Amino acid sequence: MGELGRPAYLRLADALRAEILSGAREPGSRMPSIADLCRDHGLSEQPVRQALRVLAAEGLAEGRPGSGTYVRPRPVPARIARGRYQAAGSPFAAESRERGVEPSWTNDSQKTYATTTLAVRLGIAEGAPVIQSQYVFLADGAPVQLSTSWEPLAMTEGSVVVLPELGPLAGRGVVERMAHIGITVTRVTEDVTARPVLEAESGPLGIPLGATVLAIERTHWAGELAVETADIVLAADSSRLAYEIELP
């Protein structure tokens, strides 16, 4: 199929994309208005809006309510080394300082109860009490990662490590906290997928709806016993996950 066989909105998206990627439209600059694009390209409003949606889905443009559409700055992906779990303390803190950025985070922990899916991941009964902790991780003050983790309450109840960010081992990471109550974490598993950002994630991460995120399902294990599981979310265009695989 030739160029003329492509839908009008894709031809417009191609033209605008080429301008953005060539640098003709600088990051942060305002795109022409819908009316201007309609006039300049001889199109009606619908294909113009469709073309802008394509660029937004590709992470090249972002709409700002009441202001228009802007060229989205394209961050240089940070190389994030997964596998800092053997180091003392927080893996996020260790990895961040390795990259030369200052780590910090906000946290909210509460008691809740295992859903069917969570019960399978932790190997506990559905409805069993767990401690849920929600984090926003920051590098040099900018949000870079979200995480929601769950730990079986039966494992830590009554101990000083029942809440990850309170007590003498606050912020020290799962491995060190579990060691304090006699549980030795022997391995960590991670399953990584890519998906569109959810509305609840878009604001805290500072990325537009339609952007792609990397979703990591992580679990800490003591032998065959799951002691913690977490859902971690990072912006795909600013994160490059790096894994080192040791050979026997």
Side-chain angles (χ1 to χ4, degrees):
M1 181 182 294
E3 178 64 20
L4 293 178
R6 285 169 63 76
Y9 79 94
L10 289 180
R11 295 201 305 272
L12 176 57
D14 290 343
L16 295 175
R17 183 189 304 107
E19 293 175 356
I20 293 172
L21 296 180
S22 70
R25 296 192 182 278
E26 296 183 354
S29 64
R30 189 176 185 273
M31 300 281 288
S33 68
I34 290 176
D36 287 343
L37 289 171
C38 289
R39 183 191 66 242
D40 294 345
H41 295 270
L43 298 174
S44 63
E45 184 175 325
Q46 182 178 358
V48 169
R49 290 188 180 277
Q50 286 179 302
L52 293 177
R53 282 196 288 268
V54 169
L55 297 179
E58 294 175 351
L60 296 175
E62 59 184 354
R64 300 178 187 175
S67 181
T69 301
Y70 290 77
V71 178
R72 185 166 178 253
R74 304 195 74 192
V76 177
R79 185 180 186 275
I80 302 175
R82 308 299 299 172
R84 294 287 189 265
Y85 297 104
Q86 293 181 354
S90 162
F92 174 79
E95 178 276 319
S96 297
R97 294 191 175 107
E98 179 95 358
R99 293 190 289 116
V101 297
E102 185 58 32
S104 60
W105 54 85
T106 62
N107 163 262
D108 178 54
S109 294
Q110 61 181 340
K111 177 182 176 180
T112 186
Y113 301 90
T115 62
T116 302
T117 300
L118 191 56
V120 172
R121 286 170 60 172
L122 287 172
I124 59 179
E126 182 178 353
V130 295
I131 293 295
Q132 173 182 285
S133 299
Q134 295 177 297
Y135 293 85
V136 178
F137 289 97
L138 305 102
D140 288 342
V144 294
Q145 177 177 306
L146 306 179
S147 175
T148 303
S149 68
W150 299 270
E151 297 175 357
L153 184 57
M155 196 170 297
T156 59
E157 191 169 19
S159 74
V160 296
V161 301
V162 64
L163 296 177
E165 301 299 323
L166 290 178
L169 274 75
R172 299 297 295 171
V174 177
V175 174
E176 198 168 344
R177 289 175 48 249
M178 292 299 163
H180 186 78
I181 57 174
I183 297 174
T184 301
V185 175
T186 55
R187 61 191 174 100
V188 180
T189 57
E190 292 190 345
D191 291 343
V192 184
T193 57
R195 60 166 172 78
V197 66
L198 303 180
E199 184 176 4
E201 300 163 343
S202 173
L205 278 176
I207 60 177
L209 288 172
T212 300
V213 294
L214 298 176
I216 305 173
E217 183 181 301
R218 180 196 70 195
T219 304
H220 284 79
W221 301 85
E224 297 305 311
L225 176 68
V227 300
E228 181 261 13
T229 194
D231 289 333
I232 301 169
V233 180
L234 311 93
D237 65 353
S238 60
S239 307
R240 177 182 172 188
L241 304 184
Y243 291 86
E244 181 174 330
I245 301 172
E246 295 185 4
L247 299 177

